[in-house]
Amino acid sequence: MESKSKDPLHGLTLQKIVETLVHYYGFDTLGELIPIKCFISNPTIKSSLTFLRKTDWARKKVEELYIKSIPKFS
């Protein structure tokens, strides 16, 4: 028997999480939901990933939004 991880982020990269959120919400709404500069001022996936990889509190907010949004993606 294989044990399956209960972590909803298991196997997901930060890039995949950000791309999914941007695809679903767009940067405008994402910037309203998580008001950080990388989503508000000239946002790109690349600049967002650079910031989020260096800033744990912001990454945690993005991961929490992703987890809350999973039912919407289906």
Side-chain angles (χ1 to χ4, degrees):
M1 278 189 153
E2 290 182 31
S3 68
K4 190 172 180 180
S5 175
K6 294 183 192 255
D7 180 4
L9 300 176
H10 180 76
L12 289 175
T13 63
L14 182 58
Q15 181 172 349
K16 181 64 177 169
I17 292 168
V18 171
E19 287 173 347
T20 302
L21 290 172
V22 169
H23 177 75
Y24 186 78
Y25 291 110
F27 276 114
D28 289 339
T29 303
L30 203 50
E32 291 173 13
L33 295 170
I34 306 173
I36 51 179
K37 190 175 179 179
C38 70
F39 293 151
I40 297 170
S41 179
N42 298 320
T44 65
I45 299 288
K46 184 178 178 183
S47 67
S48 298
L49 290 172
T50 300
F51 177 76
L52 293 170
R53 286 182 178 130
K54 295 177 184 177
T55 316
D56 289 338
W57 64 266
R59 181 180 180 144
K60 185 173 182 184
K61 286 182 178 274
V62 169
E63 290 173 345
E64 288 170 354
L65 177 62
Y66 182 86
I67 290 168
K68 283 190 243 177
S69 302
I70 288 174
K72 298 176 185 176
F73 301 148
S74 299

